[in-house]
């Protein structure tokens, strides 16, 4: 248990029964008239839904002990993704629903953070950007600007992104894992 005065970004709260919510942002407010309160923006851990919630200052809230571990993606077992704990070498299976959009950027040996609650994986955290090789893209035609100077390209994971016309097959590029946007070439 904690009070609303102990809230900080990233803290996971157990509200409305057993629903888990992550604190995205919070603000302590002391109006000139009336009691103080805490205005928060909470994100549902499983669905990703974001809501605004206001608490009275000093109110007790239940916190959830979410264990975040650095893990390495090993391989895909049927539909499940198998991750290995880099400290204990234990392996866990993570369902595609939990992996979500992160599946577009996962390669064998890739490091990620797996958030666990009571032994069950909740979600996967990736770095803000990853470096991947372009598996295939059409050659860019000089003077073709009808598409705004970009073309589709398939990454080595099979995910497709938009890249500038000068990018060729086999090049390594940096990709934003939050939006799927091309960020630039990687010089090796």
């Amino acid at each position: 248990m904690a009070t609303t005065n102990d809230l900080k970004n990233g803290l996971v709260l157990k509200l409305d029964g057993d629903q888990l919510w992550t604190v995205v942002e919070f603000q302590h407010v002391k109006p000139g008239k009336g009691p103080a309160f805490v205005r928060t923006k909470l994100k549902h851990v499983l669905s990703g839904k974001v809501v605004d919630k206001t608490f009275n200052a000093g109110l007790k809230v239940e916190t959830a002990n979410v264990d975040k571990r650095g893990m390495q993606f090993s391989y895909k077992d049927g539909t499940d993704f198998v991750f290995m704990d880099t400290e204990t070498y234990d392996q866990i299976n993570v369902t595609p629903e939990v992996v979500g959009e992160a599946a577009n950027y996962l390669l064998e040996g890739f490091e990620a953070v797996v958030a666990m609650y009571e032994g069950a994986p909740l979600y996967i955290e990736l770095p803000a950007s990853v470096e991947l090789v372009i598996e295939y893209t059409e050659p860019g035609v000089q003077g073709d600007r009808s598409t705004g100077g970009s073309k589709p390209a398939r990454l080595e994971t099979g995910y497709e992104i938009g890249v500038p016309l000068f990018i060729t097959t086999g090049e390594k590029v940096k990709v934003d894992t939050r939006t799927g946007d091309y960020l630039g070439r990687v010089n090796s």
Side-chain angles (χ1 to χ4, degrees):
M1 289 293 256
T3 67
T4 53
N5 298 333
D6 302 327
L7 292 182
K8 60 182 183 242
N9 291 346
L11 186 68
V12 179
L13 305 176
K14 202 191 259 189
L15 303 172
D16 307 327
D18 276 346
Q19 293 189 33
L20 299 177
W21 297 84
T22 304
V23 177
V24 177
E25 60 185 56
F26 67 97
Q27 178 183 17
H28 292 277
V29 179
K30 176 69 175 115
K33 192 175 190 181
F37 58 92
V38 180
R39 194 178 288 138
T40 63
K41 188 172 280 193
L42 303 173
K43 180 178 179 185
H44 195 271
V45 168
L46 300 177
S47 70
K49 180 175 142 186
V50 177
V51 297
D52 293 322
K53 190 163 177 76
T54 304
F55 298 97
N56 290 330
L59 181 75
K60 288 196 181 300
V61 289
E62 191 175 352
T63 58
N65 189 15
V66 174
D67 182 23
K68 293 184 179 183
R69 297 184 192 166
M71 294 198 174
Q72 187 177 50
F73 173 58
S74 297
Y75 58 94
K76 204 163 174 202
D77 182 22
T79 58
D80 286 357
F81 294 80
V82 179
F83 285 84
M84 180 183 68
D85 191 317
T86 52
E87 292 177 18
T88 64
Y89 302 107
D90 292 337
Q91 291 190 343
I92 61 163
N93 283 27
V94 182
T95 62
E97 294 79 36
V98 172
V99 174
E101 294 289 316
N104 298 329
Y105 311 103
L106 286 177
L107 288 175
E108 289 181 10
F110 190 79
E111 298 278 332
V113 174
V114 179
M116 311 263 291
Y117 177 68
E118 295 179 350
L122 289 176
Y123 58 89
I124 307 292
E125 281 181 9
L126 293 178
S129 65
V130 291
E131 296 176 359
L132 295 168
V133 174
I134 299 290
E135 190 176 80
Y136 178 77
T137 187
E138 295 287 332
V141 179
Q142 185 64 27
D144 177 18
R145 296 288 182 264
S146 62
T147 58
S150 69
K151 61 183 178 177
R154 188 174 63 240
L155 299 171
E156 58 188 312
T157 60
Y159 186 59
E160 207 166 274
I161 64 168
V163 297
L165 294 173
F166 58 81
I167 297 294
T168 59
T169 299
E171 279 193 80
K172 194 176 232 186
V173 295
K174 197 174 212 178
V175 181
D176 188 324
T177 57
R178 298 161 299 198
T179 61
D181 292 341
Y182 163 86
L183 295 175
R185 280 182 173 157
V186 175
N187 299 326
S188 21

